[in-house]
Amino acid sequence: MPFPTIGPIEGVIFDFHATLVDQGDGATWLTLGWATAGRPGTPERHLGTQRAAALAARLDRVWEDARGVDPTSRRDTSAQAHHDVFRAVLDDAPDADDDLLEALYAGVTDLWMPYLDTRPTLEALRTKGIRTALISNIGMDIRPVLARGGISHLMDAVVLSYEVGHVKPEPEIFAYALAAIEVAPERALMVGDSWRDDGGAAALGCRTLILPRTRGDLHGLDQVLRLVG
């Protein structure tokens, strides 16, 4: 089969976590969960600085650690599985009892906000007539996060693994997003933070940009506009 001819980019598919949206930090998440669980004071005051910091560090890496418990991303195929894997990852945390874990899970999306360069990038793509899709391995509806961040109207399609029954890097989920925006693979750009998951788009012939996870308000999404031209 001959290689496709390079053409202009007509559509961009974005990953969600750590690509368009920052997930916040574990310490703030713990403080919010602590209050939601009705605990008095602060985690630091009740647990001590070191124990609170250790639990916050576990929250910071909870979804990375989930790969050890759930290497096939079963958590992203249903809401129940997503909840259960979260609990399995943290069930051995000494200072996280059932009530606190449930409060933390209930607020899992509360800190998720778009990077400062997310909306300008999406707006620029829309001005250029470039179609956009969001694709995410996730076991819950993240559309409220998009609405809260003011970027829902800048997405032509939202493709969530638990709704379509496939997870990245399976080719089916990328094909679903391409079909939703009616763009051929060779005319699409995939943008994500994980070579393991988002790199799966390259198997379909999509040009793929990996922007590794960063800290801070900006994520370097101006690189997308440079590639689109």
Side-chain angles (χ1 to χ4, degrees):
M1 180 177 177
F3 292 112
T5 302
I6 286 292
I9 292 173
E10 298 175 352
V12 180
I13 303 172
F14 289 95
D15 171 51
F16 179 66
H17 293 122
T19 298
L20 292 180
V21 173
D22 178 66
Q23 294 177 218
D25 63 271
T28 305
W29 185 11
L30 176 57
T31 298
L32 290 174
W34 192 265
T36 300
R39 304 294 168 85
T42 65
E44 291 79 11
R45 185 168 183 177
H46 183 79
L47 301 174
T49 302
Q50 289 187 338
R51 286 165 58 188
L55 182 52
R58 290 288 299 271
L59 293 175
D60 267 329
R61 64 175 190 271
V62 63
W63 303 118
E64 287 77 9
D65 290 348
R67 291 186 182 277
V69 173
D70 177 36
T72 61
S73 295
R74 179 182 61 86
R75 64 191 177 279
D76 295 322
T77 60
S78 76
Q80 187 62 52
H82 194 266
H83 170 273
D84 291 348
V85 170
F86 172 85
R87 288 296 307 258
V89 173
L90 293 172
D91 267 348
D92 67 340
D95 292 309
D97 57 34
D98 284 349
D99 288 345
L100 181 56
L101 285 176
E102 289 304 315
L104 288 166
Y105 189 78
V108 68
T109 66
D110 288 352
L111 299 181
W112 296 358
M113 288 297 294
Y115 293 106
L116 293 183
D117 48 352
T118 294
R119 181 165 179 163
T121 299
L122 295 175
E123 289 175 336
L125 291 173
R126 178 136 301 205
T127 298
K128 292 174 178 289
I130 306 297
R131 295 182 63 78
T132 56
L134 181 147
I135 184 172
S136 182
N137 282 1
I138 191 76
M140 60 178 64
D141 188 3
I142 54 174
R143 292 177 184 88
V145 179
L146 304 179
R148 187 178 69 217
I151 59 174
S152 294
H153 66 292
L154 298 172
M155 286 292 172
D156 295 302
V158 175
V159 179
L160 308 179
S161 60
Y162 86 106
E163 292 182 340
V164 301
H166 293 283
V167 297
K168 297 179 293 180
E170 294 172 355
E172 291 88 350
I173 192 168
F174 298 105
Y176 197 103
L178 290 167
I181 59 174
E182 299 181 322
V183 173
E186 63 271 17
R187 299 295 177 94
L189 172 68
M190 175 67 208
V191 183
D193 71 300
S194 169
W195 63 265
R196 181 187 289 107
D197 291 339
D198 303 310
L204 276 70
C206 296
R207 281 166 275 187
T208 305
L209 172 65
I210 302 298
L211 297 173
R213 189 164 296 192
T214 57
R215 283 289 187 190
D217 293 332
L218 299 173
H219 189 51
L221 291 168
D222 59 312
Q223 299 297 324
V224 176
L225 301 180
R226 294 182 186 181
L227 286 174
V228 168

